[in-house]
Amino acid sequence: GVGNSNSFGKILINQDGNLQSIFIDSEATTTATVQVEGTANTTGDIIQVANANSLTTGGMLNLISNSSDTGTRNLVNIVNDHASATNATPLSIVQDAASHAMKIQQNAAGNGLVIDQNGNGDAIQIDFEGTSGNVIEIQAPTSTTGTCLLVQNANALTTGGVAEFHSNSADTGTRSVVHIQNDHASAVNATALKVVQDAAEIALLIDNNANGTGIKIDAQGTTAAGLIVDCPSLTTGAAG
């Protein structure tokens, strides 16, 4: 009914047939088709879809646009507009099943995900509680001339760095903190690690503070040198 004061609210629609419960045919062009003003709400949800427990291949929300207009727009726009609401999360996704929590499928030649971080915080922070899974994995990229992982134009650095890998684990298991491997023997022109230093400073520094070998080269080749120091422009300095 309309205007009832029962526990269901002011409007109750009891749909027992296999049709839409609400169908709106709007011819409006510049105003919202549905608008909800919930200015007095404090602890309740403005819109709630509850107990969708019969779903099989259906979903809870389906938003589709097939407009060919090239104007800049957001199909879904979520804004937390007050700077003082520091504990409000604009979008929270909780996945209790062993499946994807979020999937982005980008079919056009555009970015799959863009983060415009303007505040002095981490652009991406991952709280990982797993033990045997990878925190970040790039699976079988099809890149040919592109770079799979690129940090570019970090030109504002002063005492910071481009990348840092830190581990303080006391476990005695054999492992490599950083592992780089060119795995195909035919890739004879691929360099596993290249360091280019254009400043008059150290290109590679190994600071070994423990009672171990600073540099160890395990060369299995038979006709190539295990170590080459090439200093073609050297005049008064020393090669080693």
Side-chain angles (χ1 to χ4, degrees), residues 121-205:
D122 299 329
I124 298 177
Q125 186 182 84
I126 300 175
D127 180 11
F128 184 73
E129 303 295 339
T131 56
S132 59
N134 300 316
V135 179
I136 296 177
E137 180 175 350
I138 301 176
Q139 184 63 252
T142 58
S143 299
T144 55
T145 58
T147 304
C148 293
L149 184 60
L150 177 65
V151 179
Q152 192 174 33
N153 296 326
N155 301 332
L157 287 173
T158 55
T159 56
V162 176
E164 180 177 345
F165 303 94
H166 177 78
S167 174
N168 194 30
S169 173
D171 191 275
T172 59
T174 302
R175 63 190 179 278
S176 299
V177 177
V178 177
H179 181 84
I180 300 173
Q181 182 169 346
N182 177 32
D183 209 23
H184 205 292
S186 298
V188 294
N189 290 316
T191 301
L193 176 63
K194 180 179 180 180
V195 179
V196 178
Q197 168 65 289
D198 290 330
E201 190 47 270
I202 300 170
L204 177 63
L205 172 64

